[in-house]
Amino acid sequence: MEETQRQKKIAGIIQKDLADILQRAATDGGLKGTLISVSKVSVTVDLSLAKVYVSIFPNKGAKELLEGIKENQVAIRYELAQRTKHQLRRVPELNFYLDDSLEYIEGIEKSLKGEENPIENRDLLDKRKKS
């Protein structure tokens, strides 16, 4: 089922403000060389839950950083509520996921260029399976 206009609008508001909140938290936390972006937000029909896909560059340490984001989820949601109090009545519950699509695309490009051939090196196939 396709998203309604309301879902898209709320997802856009959340995406914009969350990207700013997360990037500011990263720079204030001493991660000056780290770029955090919110690549996609999808909101459920009842507007109670939002899936937030976060892209982190450079990729090393991304899982640890995502765990830190999940641990501070309450504070992030509170900050989001303060920013969007004139636009949203209730801020949806936030679930954060790591967006590894850039990594996946890079792997495909390497295969196409011939740098990594999954036919010759079978170990590469296990790395590419999506979970």
Side-chain angles (χ1 to χ4, degrees):
M1 192 160 81
E2 193 175 325
E3 284 185 320
T4 63
Q5 284 299 108
R6 180 112 178 103
Q7 285 175 285
K8 289 177 186 175
K9 183 177 179 184
I10 290 174
I13 292 168
I14 291 172
Q15 183 175 4
K16 179 181 167 289
D17 286 332
L18 264 182
D20 190 40
I21 290 168
L22 293 175
Q23 189 59 50
R24 181 166 292 135
T27 51
D28 291 350
L31 299 171
K32 294 221 184 293
T34 305
L35 178 68
I36 300 175
S37 65
V38 178
S39 54
K40 184 178 181 194
V41 175
S42 61
V43 183
T44 57
V45 177
D46 63 352
L47 309 176
S48 65
L49 184 68
K51 287 184 177 181
V52 180
Y53 293 91
V54 181
S55 181
I56 301 170
F57 186 80
N59 216 354
K60 67 174 195 253
K63 291 196 188 325
E64 292 82 14
L65 194 55
L66 183 67
E67 289 303 316
I69 290 171
K70 286 180 180 179
E71 288 172 10
N72 295 310
Q73 188 170 347
V74 175
I76 292 169
R77 187 173 179 216
Y78 176 77
E79 176 71 24
L80 183 65
Q82 294 304 309
R83 288 176 179 234
T84 61
K85 62 184 170 189
H86 298 296
Q87 297 162 312
L88 300 177
R89 218 176 281 153
R90 285 189 57 213
V91 175
E93 192 70 34
L94 304 173
N95 287 339
F96 291 96
Y97 300 96
L98 191 61
D99 181 15
D100 62 347
S101 58
L102 291 176
E103 228 180 81
Y104 187 70
I105 291 169
E106 190 176 306
I108 291 173
E109 285 179 352
K110 282 183 181 177
S111 293
L112 291 174
K113 290 179 183 175
E115 295 172 23
E116 292 182 356
N117 190 344
I119 295 172
E120 293 171 5
N121 186 357
R122 289 281 185 198
D123 296 335
L124 294 173
L125 292 174
D126 292 334
K127 289 196 300 188
R128 296 203 177 140
K129 287 183 181 171
K130 294 295 256 182
S131 54

